[in-house]
Amino acid sequence: MDDEWRLGETGFGADWSHEMVFADEVAWKREDLVTGMVEFLRTLPGVTAVEHVDREAVVISAAAVPTGRLSAAVRRRWEEAKQERPPWMAAMDRAARTVEGLTGFQRDGWQLTRVVDSQLSHVINLDHWNGREPGEHLIVVEAYVRLELPDVHPHSVLRYSGDLDDAVLLGEVITGRLRPALEPLTSVDAMLERWHGHESIEEAGRYRLPEIRLHARVLVSRGRLAEARDLYQIDFERTQPSHRPYLLQRLAELGVPALTTGSDPQLSVTEEATLTAWHTSTLPLTDRLRDLTGMRLDGARKSLDELWAWLRDSRDRLQREFAEVAPTLAMSYYGVLAGGTDAGHAPRDPWYRVTAELLTAYVGEVVIAQAPGTVWGIGVNGELALIRRSGTGLLWRVLAIVHGAFGAPIEEFDPHQLRRLSDDMLRWVNADPTSQVWITRTSA
């Protein structure tokens, strides 16, 4: 198997004997090589058909040709083709010379560098990408600052992509955007001065978590550990719980004063307080749901079907009832999976999130009644979770399905969807923890 491609037998279909799969980076950046290889395969003796079925995949009909012979022929042609320079490479060389002339940076191929001092360099990297349309070529220009610290990656200051053939626009970007973005960054001290007011060094002006981390690490290098600790506290609270042990270990190695955490060091103080409040508020939330629906909601699985049926005709009522009510839980407690395909289409309005919280509390009550010892916790991605032998996020799953009940035609309405969700939760919290993906943490 080559790093750039592999060729072997296929199970794609009865009409095909082999498949050639390219590495993602090759398929995206060297479309010309992939296209050329498709044409080359069609010329080989014994090959009766070739089809480019995906950007990364080609299927071949050559039942009488041994895989080794086919691979050897492809490898020879591949090495020859890589030595050829298609027109877009010449265009990239011209672009690199243009950037060199406008910046005075030292050029090495498609990367240009200016050493500012012993601690700081400015780097401009040019890259080529194929566009969405056949024959469309893009140039990507990214400007970085590179610090001479052993554990710090270059930090992007500006990124631009555009038509490779538009030399005029490239020149305008270099003179009008790139140079003004890099020129104030004359030293690490100048960067610290910018950061002092939480002003970003990025052209877009976004002082985000990666830059906060860089700022903190530079402060550590200057021995300003107390200031660095304040920034790392922000890092800790914005980082997913699964990453926090590594952060705490690294800070101890750097000598940064201990951060403030919950009694479980994977939880922030705010998360732990929220979790404690949620533990005590789920029964009152269920009482509120009983008042709203007029149902007994006795914790039985059947009650979930009744509640689900009630939701079908209750959108307007819920929207009115919770028009002025703020959700208890921030969006972070839905976890990263709340951006997935199903949950990503769910409303995020406050009234809808309040509804999701009420249903989550009750589904959790049903699960806990059937699996004593189950508790509420915080998952590795920050999600509200149910935990027993293993754990599973629940809030984001409720968020994803509730809107599908509102006003659904009776012939399309699944009457047991909420009950099945509860059964899934029960199965997962009872699962062997070594076989579960959603391992979680709790302060309980």
Side-chain angles (χ1 to χ4, degrees):
M1 177 176 177
D2 291 58
D3 293 335
E4 298 167 316
W5 56 269
R6 64 174 174 83
L7 192 151
E9 296 180 359
T10 184
F12 190 80
D15 295 334
W16 307 103
S17 59
H18 298 81
E19 67 179 5
M20 185 173 182
V21 179
F22 298 90
D24 287 345
E25 186 171 356
V26 170
W28 280 97
K29 292 190 175 184
R30 294 303 309 266
E31 189 178 72
D32 55 302
L33 285 178
V34 175
T35 301
M37 191 53 58
V38 170
E39 296 305 315
F40 172 72
L41 285 166
R42 289 178 175 143
T43 68
L44 292 177
V47 173
T48 57
V50 178
E51 185 173 334
H52 195 175
V53 294
D54 200 354
R55 195 160 204 158
E56 298 87 7
V58 175
V59 289
I60 307 157
S61 180
V65 183
T67 300
R69 186 191 305 169
L70 199 58
S71 294
V74 165
R75 186 172 290 105
R76 286 193 297 271
R77 177 56 193 147
W78 183 262
E79 294 304 320
E80 293 171 358
K82 284 202 304 181
Q83 303 307 312
E84 300 170 357
R85 291 182 63 80
W88 66 261
M89 284 190 173
M92 286 291 294
D93 291 340
R94 290 194 297 272
R97 289 193 293 270
T98 297
V99 175
E100 180 184 26
L102 293 173
T103 62
F105 282 27
Q106 183 176 354
R107 180 166 64 92
D108 180 10
W110 298 342
Q111 187 173 89
L112 302 95
T113 305
R114 174 174 62 193
V115 177
V116 180
D117 58 31
S118 61
Q119 297 178 312
L120 175 67
S121 297
H122 296 166
V123 180
I124 303 171
N125 190 66
L126 308 183
D127 205 353
H128 163 266
W129 287 91
N130 291 297
R132 294 184 179 275
E133 301 300 324
E136 182 183 12
H137 297 279
L138 303 178
I139 183 171
V140 178
V141 180
E142 194 150 13
Y144 300 91
V145 289
R146 185 171 65 204
L147 279 68
E148 297 305 318
L149 290 171
D151 54 349
V152 172
H153 297 292
H155 186 83
S156 178
V157 174
L158 172 147
R159 190 177 191 275
Y160 157 79
S161 65
D163 187 344
L164 176 57
D165 294 327
D166 196 337
V168 173
L169 180 56
L170 175 63
E172 292 173 352
V173 168
I174 299 304
T175 57
R177 292 176 54 191
L178 187 147
R179 288 198 328 207
L182 288 177
E183 283 170 357
L185 309 179
T186 54
S187 65
V188 176
D189 286 333
M191 292 166 58
L192 283 170
E193 183 65 28
R194 178 84 70 92
W195 284 328
H196 181 71
H198 290 180
E199 183 181 355
S200 175
I201 64 172
E202 297 178 15
E203 184 211 30
R206 298 167 295 184
Y207 185 69
R208 300 172 299 175
L209 192 55
E211 192 167 356
I212 292 173
R213 290 169 178 162
L214 178 61
H215 181 187
R217 182 64 183 88
V218 171
L219 288 172
V220 169
S221 73
R222 298 299 175 90
R224 294 160 62 174
L225 300 181
E227 295 173 72
R229 183 228 179 253
D230 292 341
L231 294 177
Y232 281 123
Q233 185 70 45
I234 297 172
D235 186 354
F236 177 86
E237 292 175 3
R238 294 184 185 179
T239 297
Q240 295 172 9
S242 58
H243 298 163
R244 289 172 179 166
Y246 308 104
L247 173 62
L248 295 176
Q249 179 181 349
R250 181 60 182 145
L251 297 189
E253 293 169 355
L254 291 173
V256 175
L259 304 185
T260 302
T261 73
S263 56
D264 180 335
Q266 283 190 247
L267 299 182
S268 70
V269 171
T270 300
E271 287 168 343
E272 194 160 72
T274 300
L275 186 57
T276 300
W278 182 260
H279 271 281
T280 59
S281 69
T282 50
L283 288 178
L285 286 173
T286 299
D287 288 339
R288 185 176 190 178
L289 196 57
R290 289 189 184 99
D291 292 341
L292 185 65
T293 62
M295 298 177 182
R296 288 182 59 199
L297 299 182
D298 57 2
R301 293 170 67 246
K302 183 179 178 181
S303 66
L304 294 172
D305 291 341
E306 297 168 352
L307 179 57
W308 189 244
W310 179 86
L311 279 175
R312 182 171 166 267
D313 299 314
S314 301
R315 178 191 174 97
D316 292 343
R317 180 177 180 182
L318 289 165
Q319 197 164 3
R320 288 193 305 269
E321 186 79 18
F322 302 137
E324 305 298 327
V325 180
T328 301
L329 300 172
M331 279 304 303
S332 61
Y333 292 94
Y334 291 79
V336 295
L337 295 174
T341 303
D342 295 332
H345 292 105
R348 304 299 172 93
D349 307 288
W351 73 268
Y352 182 80
R353 287 170 52 199
V354 172
T355 301
E357 289 178 357
L358 291 175
L359 293 177
T360 297
Y362 184 62
V363 172
E365 183 177 313
V366 173
V367 172
I368 291 169
Q370 297 179 80
T374 302
V375 296
W376 292 102
I378 301 293
V380 293
N381 294 318
E383 73 276 15
L384 183 70
L386 286 170
I387 300 167
R388 189 169 177 262
R389 292 177 60 189
S390 189
T392 176
L394 176 57
L395 183 58
W396 73 270
R397 299 176 193 273
V398 173
L399 179 89
I401 68 171
V402 171
H403 66 105
F406 296 142
I410 192 65
E411 66 274 9
E412 299 176 11
F413 184 71
D414 180 350
H416 306 301
Q417 189 166 1
L418 195 60
R419 186 199 292 200
R420 277 202 302 274
L421 176 61
S422 172
D423 291 345
D424 285 342
M425 299 299 100
L426 185 64
R427 175 166 54 86
W428 287 334
V429 298
N430 284 331
D432 178 355
T434 61
S435 66
Q436 277 293 299
V437 175
W438 311 119
I439 304 301
T440 53
R441 297 284 294 182
T442 176
S443 65

